[in-house]
Amino acid sequence: WSSDVCSSDLGVHHATFFGQAIFALIDENCSERDLGLTNEVVHSAEATLEDVFVALSRNPVLAQKKA
């Protein structure tokens, strides 16, 4: 997965390496093909409380708007 894929133009809003996996926040209508993924295993997942906390801590402006 190249850094070129990590672009909001392609529907990717955030990506984090986690061991040998990449956790990415992408648009719901974005497919593996749209991202240039051909042989990778892709799973969808629900956001956890930790995901929400990390997203808010990375974007304090968003946290202030939600408060």
Side-chain angles (χ1 to χ4, degrees), residues 3-66:
S3 60
D4 296 342
V5 173
C6 293
S7 164
S8 60
D9 294 342
L10 295 174
V12 179
H13 300 281
H14 177 77
T16 302
F17 288 97
F18 189 77
Q20 294 183 1
I22 299 173
F23 289 172
L25 176 61
I26 64 171
D27 289 342
E28 188 174 10
N29 61 350
C30 193
S31 71
E32 292 92 342
R33 176 178 253 174
D34 294 337
L35 298 173
L37 302 174
T38 55
N39 297 319
E40 292 77 13
V41 177
V42 178
H43 301 279
S44 63
E46 296 293 321
T48 65
L49 185 57
E50 180 181 3
D51 296 327
V52 174
F53 175 76
V54 169
L56 291 174
S57 67
R58 289 186 175 171
N59 190 344
V61 173
L62 181 61
Q64 293 237 335
K65 287 182 181 178
K66 298 291 181 186

